[in-house]
Every structure is written in structure tokens, then in C-alpha cells.
Amino acid sequence: MAGQKEEVIWLRPEQAPVGRPAERSRAEITAAALELADQEGLDAVSMRRLAATLGTGAASLYRYVATRDDLLDLMIDSTAREYHLPAPSGDWQADLLAIAHEARRIMRRHPWLPSLVVTRPGLGPHGVDLLEHLLDVLADHPAEPAHKLEAFAVLNALTALFVQNELAATHSGAQRRSSYLGHVAAAGTHPRIAATLAATQPETTAHDRFATVLARALSGVLG
């Protein structure tokens, strides 16, 4: 039994072969967890709280998900269903940036998601579909297969970090930190910081910065 629990949830049957018929489905439980996390944050998602939302007992949920980690994996993978994945256009960079912009929108829709993308990089069925699409986009690219997998990891990680910074910038402390950096630049004790800030184009949008940084990173990984 211990070995079974170590398997990812998608390798375990959704319904036990014996016992009472299932009253819930993984999809129903996952959808309720997503709604709870979107409304109240990831800390609100506990087995007890989720059971109350579904009108059942916490113990009964363990018939469907063995641990909270299982639930988090289901939640992450469920968000990958939201990607729109058109056929490759032949322009690999444009297609990868399109995937990244989709990822950014999905992560902003689910503010709890970026931290999990960084800390729990495993893939479920929908994540595997996304990886297959990226590899299809890069099918004719001369990069080594390992570098293509690295590009997938870099795209996800950089997008998650960018969204985390965007979300943090909306907090009250962000303005104080920005003001302090301006104070440091004006003091004249850190001339390189001052010169860099002076040369930064304020009209550059977050959308432009995101695309530029990601394109550079992906080009570096793929060669």
C-alpha cells in the first residue's frame, strides 16, 4: 500500500474496485478546490474545508484523493485544460511566445498557481498535452531533445516568476520598495543603479518586457 501511495494520482484508479459506488468524481472535487483557491487563496484549501464545501465528511474525500498533495496536483493539471493550442504556424518563437502569453493569462486568473508551478513542476494528463504541443512546435528545430525539454521548463518557470512579480507589484509594499530604490539612485552612492534606472524606458509595457525577456531566454536555451 505504501508503494501505491507514492504513485502519481493519475496512475491510480479513480474508483476503488470494491466498496460503495463513488458519489463524487475527481473532476468535481478538483473544480470545487479551484473555486475555493481562486476566491480565498491556496491556504483555504484543506480537506476539511473542501469537504464542507461539497457537503460531505473530510474522511470521505480520502476515497478519491489520498493526500492534499494529490489534490494540488489535480488542481495544477486542471488549469492546463484552459490552454488554446492552435496548430504550429512554422514560426517557433512566435508559437512559444503565444503559449507563454496563454500561461500568463491562466496564472493571473488563478493567482495561487505561479508558486505551485515553481515548486511542483510535475505533469498530469493535460500538462502532458501541453508539453506535446510545445514539442510539436519545435519538431523541426535543430536543438537537442534535452534542450527542448529545458525550454518547456524555462517557459513555465519564467512565466510564473513574472506573474508573481506582477501580482506583488499591486501590493502596498511595492510602492515603498520602488521609492527606496529611487532614493538610492538619487543619493549618488550607486552610480550604476542610477544609470540603469535613468536609461529604463518607462513607456515599456509589462507585455513587452515579458515577451522580450522570454524570447531571449528561449533563444539561449535552444541555441
Side-chain angles (χ1 to χ4, degrees), residues 92-93 96-101 103-104 151-160 162 207-221:
W92 68 266
Q93 187 174 84
L96 291 190
L97 289 177
I99 295 172
H101 287 304
R104 183 181 171 206
F152 181 70
V154 166
L155 185 152
N156 285 326
L158 279 183
T159 302
F162 193 91
H207 183 281
D208 294 335
R209 289 195 302 273
F210 175 65
T212 299
V213 170
L214 195 61
R216 289 173 181 165
L218 291 173
S219 294
V221 169

Side-chain angles (χ1 to χ4, degrees), residues 24 27 38-39 54 76-77 129 131 149 162 172 185 192 220:
R24 306 284 180 182
D38 288 346
Q39 292 179 353
L54 291 168
I76 296 168
D77 190 63
D129 290 342
L131 173 58
L149 293 177
F162 193 91
S172 59
R192 295 194 183 279

Side-chain angles (χ1 to χ4, degrees), residues 159-177:
T159 302
L161 291 173
F162 193 91
V163 172
Q164 282 183 313
N165 284 334
E166 283 186 308
L167 295 175
T170 65
H171 296 165
S172 59
Q175 182 60 45
R176 294 196 301 271
R177 290 189 292 272

Side-chain angles (χ1 to χ4, degrees), residues 44-189:
V45 181
S46 67
M47 300 299 273
R48 184 180 300 275
R49 180 70 186 281
L50 184 58
T53 300
L54 291 168
T56 187
S60 69
L61 290 185
Y62 291 102
R63 297 178 59 204
Y64 310 95
V65 288
T67 64
R68 186 173 183 267
D69 284 343
D70 282 343
L71 183 60
L72 295 179
D73 287 342
L74 289 170
M75 292 169 65
I76 296 168
D77 190 63
S78 180
T79 64
R81 298 177 60 185
E82 300 176 26
Y83 281 89
H84 173 62
L85 302 175
S89 69
D91 183 340
W92 68 266
Q93 187 174 84
D95 288 348
L96 291 190
L97 289 177
I99 295 172
H101 287 304
E102 286 262 311
R104 183 181 171 206
R105 285 190 289 270
I106 292 169
M107 290 182 196
R108 288 185 64 88
R109 194 178 304 139
H110 306 289
W112 49 270
L113 181 58
S115 63
L116 291 186
V117 169
V118 172
T119 58
R120 303 180 66 86
L123 294 177
H126 299 296
V128 166
D129 290 342
L130 178 60
L131 173 58
E132 179 72 13
H133 175 72
L134 180 140
L135 294 176
D136 195 21
V137 166
L138 294 175
D140 296 327
H141 195 287
E144 295 291 328
H147 293 168
K148 294 180 181 181
L149 293 177
E150 290 169 1
F152 181 70
V154 166
L155 185 152
N156 285 326
L158 279 183
T159 302
L161 291 173
F162 193 91
V163 172
Q164 282 183 313
N165 284 334
E166 283 186 308
L167 295 175
T170 65
H171 296 165
S172 59
Q175 182 60 45
R176 294 196 301 271
R177 290 189 292 272
S178 178
S179 296
Y180 175 71
L181 192 58
H183 170 79
V184 168
T189 54

